Amino acid sequence: MRRGFLLLCAPAVLFTLVMIAFPFGYGFWMSLQKFDFTGAPQFIGSANYLRLMDDPRFWTGMRVTILLYVISLVSQLIIGTYLAVLLHSSKGLRNLVRTVIISPFIMPPVVVGMTWLVLLDPSIGAANYVLTKVGLPPSEWLASPQWVVPTIAMIDTWQWSPYIALIVLGGLQSLPVSVYEAAQIDGAPRRAVFWRITLPLLMPTIATAAILRSVDLLRFFDIIYITTQGGPGNASATLNIYGFRMGFEFFEFGYASALVITLSTVVLGSVLALTRLRNAVTW
Amino acid sequence: MNEVWIRRINGLQLFIVGIIILIPIYWMVGSSFKPPADVTAYPPKFIFEPTLANYHDLFSTTPFFRYLLNSIIVAGGSTLLGLALGMPAAFVVSWSRVNWPAVLVLAARMAPGMIFLLPWYMMFREVGLIGSHISMVLAYSVITLPIAIWVLLPFFDQVPRSILEAAQVDGCNTLRVLWRVAIPMVMPGIVVTTILCFVFSWNYFLFALILSNGETKTLIAASFNFIGEGATNWGTLMAAATMIALPPLVLAGLMQRWLVSGLVVGAVKG
């Protein structure tokens, strides 16, 4: 029996070792070297990490990453939960509604980026046309150093709020009916039922959704690479974008590895923190 | 306020949200059928004479079908490999209740793809596989394997143990129990898993950007070139976007009921 298990698991474990564990170790080794296209790698210990701490572009990247993360996550959690409550009260997901809800996040982020690039063009995009029609000033959107991060957050929120809605809807559908019956007997007003009963009971599900999105948001890449490549200037250069450029445009493999490993630590730290938060709100 | 009005107001809000979701998708598909002069017209044209000119342009001026073939090879190959590795692993994790292989694979899923990309680049260059389909299928299986394991797990969990144990008593070894008993019972799960693996592999950008070359470039990696070329021709760009988004959207439309359960799997149970 045990031998059978080992045999069945072996291919997946072998694959994980070759394609995930070994590269991870290799990446860590690279992060301790002076390693670029000029010559053989040379051990320099923690110098790459120390260089990171003094690199203003690293800290810009950190700021952009965190800003984008917070704006996106907060807006998607609020809109997603709102959408879930709406769907729940509309008695079930009909096929059409379900298809519409899935479509944004089943599309490649790259395609989503391409489409919004056209919609948000500062001079001839449809978004600015609508803005001027309703009497608002047009925006530079992705071309504005000030607005580029909120704009990217908006695009990501358009794409992923429906996903959060589906997760939260699953949570809503599994809430105990008895609590609601009790609230109804006590004559609790609708608003109070939502804020005092539904939302607290949903917190574990919302926290789970937050964890799933955090992993993707902290390594934000696709939409930025397609729309701005980190610009204007470095206004939307997340750590992942900066790491990519260091590695594959400047070929500083050692330094780029140190950067990406630091980013992974940030991701891991946030996931652990959010998991603790989820355990705290679990009932 | 009575129930009827609340339902109407909810319906209205849902309708508005639906419109907001659909407008960009409509704009993408719509622009791809606009005559080239109308795509960049300002104010934007909402009514136009639909034309296939942009698609004709896309197919005749870019190696679109080679990119498409590459995408199918990489997404299809990594789906098959992910399933081949993930099915037995999920089965064992479900049966033996030993979780660490699944957790390990999930941790890999959480790491930024960039962390693997630099070492892979070195590894594949060392063995002369840079730009090959093989290197891309292997890389993209890092996306599909965790999906395969985690989506299949709850399906295997639902198979009654008594049936598996009975098959064992009848003299089936573990492989035969999996192949002859468990897999036929989780067929719906395998269909969902296959589609999710294919879609997420199809959509994933970063690996193809670096690991492909001119010959093996996938559609998603080529989309960046389309932007460069399409700077003056949005119609062609939107035709490319529509073509790339089409397979996931069609699969989602056909399979939505099944996909939803797969997409939120694990999330609700925590």
Side-chain angles (χ1 to χ4, degrees):
Chain A
M1 200 61 235
R2 272 210 88 70
R3 235 188 51 213
F5 279 163
L6 283 177
L7 212 65
L8 286 179
C9 252
V13 171
L14 188 70
F15 178 85
T16 309
L17 286 177
V18 174
M19 286 301 290
I20 295 171
F22 173 72
F24 189 85
Y26 188 42
F28 183 68
W29 175 82
M30 274 204 278
S31 78
L32 303 176
Q33 317 282 324
K34 179 172 168 42
F35 192 174
D36 48 37
F37 251 29
T38 54
Q42 183 190 347
F43 183 81
I44 50 170
S46 59
N48 282 325
Y49 292 92
L50 294 175
R51 186 179 148 196
L52 271 183
M53 297 300 116
D54 285 334
D55 181 352
R57 283 196 58 189
F58 169 77
W59 292 109
T60 308
M62 185 69 93
R63 211 189 54 231
V64 172
T65 303
I66 292 173
L67 194 63
L68 185 57
Y69 169 65
V70 172
I71 302 178
S72 309
L73 189 67
V74 170
S75 23
Q76 325 191 336
L77 288 180
I78 293 173
I79 295 175
T81 307
Y82 155 76
L83 192 50
V85 172
L86 213 53
L87 288 166
H88 189 57
S89 64
S90 312
K91 292 298 163 239
L93 272 178
R94 279 170 299 254
N95 291 349
L96 179 68
V97 179
R98 205 190 274 124
T99 308
V100 171
I101 290 282
I102 300 179
S103 25
F105 63 86
I106 208 86
M107 284 168 51
V110 167
V111 166
V112 171
M114 287 158 85
T115 304
W116 282 94
L117 198 59
V118 169
L119 274 169
L120 297 178
D121 185 275
S123 52
I124 50 176
N128 273 350
Y129 175 73
V130 174
L131 279 190
T132 46
K133 268 282 145 179
V134 297
L136 291 168
S139 168
E140 289 285 301
W141 302 110
L142 294 159
S144 147
Q146 203 181 344
W147 286 103
V148 63
V149 169
T151 303
I152 292 170
M154 177 190 79
I155 299 174
D156 197 72
T157 301
W158 174 83
Q159 185 172 23
W160 289 97
S161 296
Y163 176 69
I164 292 181
L166 283 183
I167 293 174
V168 176
L169 181 65
L172 271 172
Q173 285 164 345
S174 63
L175 290 186
V177 186
S178 53
V179 185
Y180 288 94
E181 286 166 351
Q184 208 172 18
I185 292 167
D186 291 346
R190 204 175 276 271
R191 210 170 276 271
V193 170
F194 176 75
W195 290 106
R196 308 292 287 273
I197 299 176
T198 308
L199 204 57
L201 287 178
L202 273 180
M203 272 305 163
T205 314
I206 296 176
T208 305
I211 294 174
L212 291 172
R213 284 308 296 145
S214 297
V215 174
D216 284 333
L217 281 170
L218 286 168
R219 54 183 187 187
F220 210 113
F221 185 82
D222 294 16
I223 291 177
I224 299 178
Y225 195 78
I226 277 294
T227 55
T228 67
Q229 291 103 57
N234 290 318
S236 62
T238 56
L239 285 180
N240 218 10
I241 293 277
Y242 186 39
F244 180 86
R245 288 190 147 172
M246 269 295 153
F248 295 106
E249 282 172 25
F250 302 106
F251 302 108
E252 290 226 36
F253 298 128
Y255 190 52
S257 298
L259 204 157
V260 176
I261 284 178
T262 310
L263 172 61
S264 309
T265 323
V266 174
V267 177
L268 187 69
S270 330
V271 169
L272 288 180
L274 282 168
T275 310
R276 289 193 68 140
L277 181 76
R278 185 182 65 186
N279 293 341
V281 294
T282 298
W283 30 283
Chain B
M1 274 222 291
N2 59 38
E3 288 295 322
V4 177
W5 271 102
I6 288 172
R7 192 165 305 163
R8 277 183 195 165
I9 291 169
N10 277 348
L12 183 68
Q13 291 178 70
L14 208 53
F15 181 74
I16 293 171
V17 171
I19 296 291
I20 294 173
I21 291 178
L22 286 177
I23 280 178
I25 301 176
Y26 164 77
W27 202 256
M28 170 183 83
V29 179
S31 302
S32 78
F33 289 110
K34 276 183 187 173
D38 287 1
V39 184
T40 47
Y42 194 85
K45 286 208 172 176
F46 294 92
I47 297 161
F48 53 89
E49 191 105 5
T51 161
L52 288 173
N54 296 316
Y55 287 92
H56 182 78
D57 193 38
L58 176 68
F59 298 151
S60 60
T61 60
T62 67
F64 178 85
F65 290 101
R66 195 174 69 213
Y67 296 153
L68 177 67
L69 184 66
N70 288 332
S71 275
I72 293 171
I73 292 172
V74 172
S78 61
T79 301
L80 288 180
L81 186 58
L83 275 173
L85 299 171
M87 271 191 316
F91 174 66
V92 169
V93 168
S94 163
W95 196 353
S96 67
R97 312 232 184 267
V98 178
N99 274 333
W100 64 263
V103 175
L104 189 77
V105 172
L106 191 67
R109 164 82 180 76
M110 289 191 168
M114 208 77 73
I115 210 169
F116 307 119
L117 198 52
L118 284 162
W120 285 345
Y121 185 74
M122 303 290 171
M123 283 162 61
F124 289 133
R125 204 180 49 177
E126 202 64 33
V127 290
L129 280 175
I130 278 285
S132 68
H133 285 129
I134 297 174
S135 70
M136 294 220 276
V137 168
L138 284 172
Y140 275 83
S141 298
V142 171
I143 304 292
T144 56
L145 178 61
I147 298 174
I149 292 183
W150 280 92
V151 175
L152 277 174
L153 254 181
F155 287 96
F156 278 122
D157 283 343
Q158 278 169 11
V159 176
R161 288 179 87 83
S162 53
I163 294 181
L164 302 177
E165 278 155 10
Q168 247 188 327
V169 172
D170 288 346
C172 284
N173 61 29
T174 319
L175 186 63
R176 277 178 71 91
V177 175
L178 170 66
W179 190 247
R180 289 293 173 82
V181 185
I183 287 187
M185 292 183 75
V186 297
M187 256 315 163
I190 290 178
V191 173
V192 173
T193 311
T194 307
I195 288 173
L196 285 177
C197 285
F198 186 85
V199 167
F200 280 95
S201 178
W202 178 275
N203 288 357
Y204 197 87
F205 178 52
L206 179 61
F207 298 162
L209 194 60
I210 292 302
L211 296 176
S212 67
N213 61 21
E215 285 298 309
T216 57
K217 192 169 271 179
T218 58
L219 272 178
I220 211 94
S223 55
F224 191 60
N225 302 30
F226 292 143
I227 286 190
E229 295 158 13
T232 47
N233 193 350
W234 279 0
T236 313
L237 184 67
M238 288 299 96
T242 305
M243 291 303 288
I244 301 172
L246 200 59
L249 285 178
V250 168
L251 288 172
L254 293 176
M255 305 291 300
Q256 18 94 4
R257 186 193 302 271
W258 305 96
L259 285 191
V260 170
S261 63
L263 282 165
V264 300
V265 74
V268 177
K269 287 200 300 183

